[in-house]
Amino acid sequence: MPFVNRLQQLESKLQAKSPIVISNCRVFFDFDNTMTVSDVLFEVIERFSINDHWMVLEKAWLEGKIGTKECLSGQLKGVRITKKALHKFLSKVELDPYFHQLLALLVREGIKPVILSDNFTYIVEWILEYHGINDLKVYGNNLRFYREHIIPSFPYDNPFCLSCAHCKKIHLTKDKTENKIIVYIGDGRSDFCPARVSDIVFAKDKLLNFMLKEELPHIPYKNLADIHLYFKDVLIRQQSKI
């Protein structure tokens, strides 16, 4: 089914709640492999680990034997990197080519997207600032540096959920109101929970497989060009009704 037809089909199910008007939307983004073209945190761990123990933890996490918090904490114990070296590495991270255009469209319509990440707020904000983006709200995990060690902490941890170190859905349920359409854009395991409580979900990779398996409404996407097309289409239809 063509992309626009999929989004119109999903929108029709929401009409009883509220018309799809861009200014009525709250937009939430995952970060790694959603706003960026790769999994940044995975690449940091892979590149700067002093041994292969991170791979053992990764396998156990993928098999559901340990949670994300335990996995990340253990993996970062083996990482050795200075703040300067981290910055140099992060300067090479690429954002999705359409993110700036999508952000500009949303801001013009009065929407400030919120970023919900299982990465670390410090890393996410550094990358955004490097790319000239300074005023988006970011919720993520915390870190501090001690010599060449990264010490993590998890202020939004949910001990009853193994899929994430940062329970993203608490931000959606906190901000959700009767008159707002919650739009979530993600790709991975940490996006499963927030996707369940969102009105419109754009999904790819692991999140797409999850939505299909659970038979939950969603719109598949390949990159942010698709989401940009979605909002342009909504905007055109809004203007045609004026």
Side-chain angles (χ1 to χ4, degrees):
M1 182 183 297
F3 178 80
V4 173
N5 288 350
R6 284 182 179 274
L7 68 88
Q8 290 176 346
Q9 184 181 69
L10 181 56
E11 286 173 353
S12 68
K13 297 177 182 179
L14 296 170
Q15 293 302 314
K17 175 179 178 178
S18 177
I20 304 301
V21 177
I22 290 183
S23 60
N24 285 346
C25 293
R26 289 296 304 271
V27 180
F28 296 86
F29 282 87
D30 171 52
F31 186 72
D32 287 284
N33 203 41
T34 298
M35 287 176 56
T36 61
V37 299
S38 61
D39 189 328
V40 178
L41 184 55
F42 179 87
E43 291 177 342
V44 169
I45 293 169
E46 182 181 40
R47 169 66 178 81
F48 295 101
S49 290
I50 59 175
N51 55 48
D52 291 336
H53 183 58
W54 72 271
M55 298 174 66
V56 176
L57 293 168
E58 188 78 11
K59 183 174 185 293
W61 175 72
L62 290 172
E63 293 173 350
K65 296 178 180 178
I66 62 173
T68 305
K69 179 180 175 181
E70 181 180 351
C71 180
L72 275 180
S73 298
Q75 289 177 326
L76 289 176
K77 287 180 180 178
V79 169
R80 298 293 182 271
I81 187 173
T82 63
K83 186 180 291 190
K84 182 178 179 180
L86 177 61
H87 292 172
K88 182 178 179 180
F89 184 83
L90 297 180
S91 69
K92 300 176 183 178
V93 171
E94 297 180 32
L95 295 182
D96 182 291
Y98 270 81
F99 181 71
H100 281 91
Q101 293 182 55
L102 175 55
L103 178 60
L105 185 154
L106 294 174
V107 170
R108 284 197 302 270
E109 297 303 313
I111 296 174
K112 279 291 185 70
V114 177
I115 300 170
L116 307 179
S117 180
D118 232 6
N119 201 327
F120 296 91
T121 301
Y122 180 91
I123 289 176
V124 175
E125 290 182 339
W126 195 95
I127 293 170
L128 292 176
E129 185 174 350
Y130 183 81
H131 288 275
I133 302 166
N134 301 298
D135 56 352
L136 294 186
K137 183 63 180 177
V138 178
Y139 293 99
N141 302 313
N142 293 339
L143 62 78
R144 62 184 177 89
F145 294 90
Y146 178 72
R147 296 179 180 174
E148 294 187 354
H149 296 260
I150 292 177
I151 313 300
S153 60
F154 305 93
Y156 305 111
D157 173 42
N158 179 351
F160 303 104
C161 179
L162 296 180
S163 295
C164 51
H166 168 196
C167 184
K168 298 179 180 181
K169 74 176 182 180
I170 65 173
H171 306 292
L172 276 68
T173 54
K174 179 179 65 176
D175 292 333
K176 195 169 185 177
T177 66
E178 290 184 3
N179 296 321
K180 292 293 183 180
I181 299 296
I182 302 299
V183 179
Y184 192 83
I185 304 163
D187 78 296
R189 287 178 63 178
S190 68
D191 302 314
F192 292 177
C193 292
R196 284 185 177 276
V197 296
S198 298
D199 299 306
I200 297 177
V201 177
F202 290 94
K204 68 176 181 178
D205 299 343
K206 291 185 179 68
L207 178 59
L208 175 59
N209 293 335
F210 171 79
M211 301 298 282
L212 289 169
K213 180 180 178 181
E214 297 294 317
E215 298 183 345
L216 296 171
H218 64 280
I219 303 171
Y221 77 101
K222 293 182 179 179
N223 53 47
L224 296 186
D226 289 334
I227 287 85
H228 186 254
L229 172 64
Y230 163 78
F231 282 107
K232 281 184 64 177
D233 181 76
V234 171
L235 193 56
I236 289 169
R237 282 184 281 136
Q238 283 179 200
Q239 293 171 343
S240 68
K241 294 178 181 179
I242 297 176

